[in-house]
Amino acid sequence: MSSADAGTDAFIALGANLGDPLAALRRAATQLGTLGQVVGVSGLYRTAPVGGPPGQPDYLNAAAQLRTTLTAGPLLAALHELEAAAGRERHERWEARPLDLDLITHGDLISTHVSLTLPHPRAWDRPFVLAPLNDLNPDLRHPVTGETVRAALTRLGTDGVQRLGGPWLT
């Protein structure tokens, strides 16, 4: 197999705060394997909700590195299908949800299309995304700014981001 056939590394943020968030993240991490090879999965984090309606429960967050032959558009569509299968409905921005899967990067692809913005436009400003990404690849660079995950996390700090101990995938 040539390196061109090996696929592209995509980083995906996983989050949930409705129903059984741990079960939802476990199921999603397993289902990502249908979209390519899961190369790595971060630790599990508990974080306070950011934005959205008041009174939401805390989130569980993680990240996955997926090596996939899917291009970014079909991968994003597949992530949305997994969210819908988990019961996610989109009514209000940043509302509570049973599953949230965000495509953070897809290789070094830069896209400003209305339906696909890469890298994710807010990822490098969100500690709840960066802390799990830091587990996987602290030297991952933002394709536009060049800032590493490690540097962004140092810049922002980790207030409100609690790493939960022990293995979470069973």
Side-chain angles (χ1 to χ4, degrees):
M1 178 192 283
S2 74
S3 61
D5 298 327
T8 300
D9 281 353
F11 286 88
I12 299 161
L14 296 81
N17 73 337
L18 287 181
D20 185 343
L22 181 56
L25 294 187
R26 285 177 171 159
R27 190 170 39 258
T30 299
Q31 291 171 329
L32 288 176
T34 66
L35 306 177
Q37 177 190 3
V38 177
V39 177
V41 178
S42 73
L44 185 66
Y45 293 80
R46 180 179 313 283
T47 63
V50 174
Q56 292 187 51
D58 286 349
Y59 277 84
L60 290 183
N61 295 99
Q65 181 177 355
L66 180 71
R67 189 159 297 141
T68 183
T69 57
L70 293 173
T71 59
L75 177 57
L76 182 62
L79 295 177
H80 287 170
E81 288 174 14
L82 293 177
E83 290 176 337
R88 178 165 183 189
E89 297 176 1
R90 295 172 186 266
H91 300 291
E92 185 175 346
R93 189 173 199 190
W94 298 324
E95 66 188 339
R97 57 205 78 152
L99 183 63
D100 184 34
L101 300 172
D102 286 334
L103 182 57
I104 305 302
T105 63
H106 189 278
D108 289 331
L109 180 64
I110 297 168
S111 173
T112 57
H113 191 274
V114 67
S115 64
L116 178 67
T117 303
L118 285 174
H120 189 285
R122 292 169 299 282
W124 262 254
D125 293 319
R126 292 178 167 173
F128 67 87
V129 173
L130 294 169
L133 282 177
N134 194 62
D135 288 352
L136 295 171
N137 187 345
D139 297 320
L140 178 67
R141 291 189 176 278
H142 188 287
V144 176
T145 68
E147 184 178 35
T148 65
V149 167
R150 177 189 295 115
L153 195 56
T154 298
R155 172 175 52 83
L156 295 171
T158 57
D159 287 348
V161 178
Q162 175 192 7
R163 185 180 173 115
L164 303 178
W168 64 276
L169 285 176
T170 55

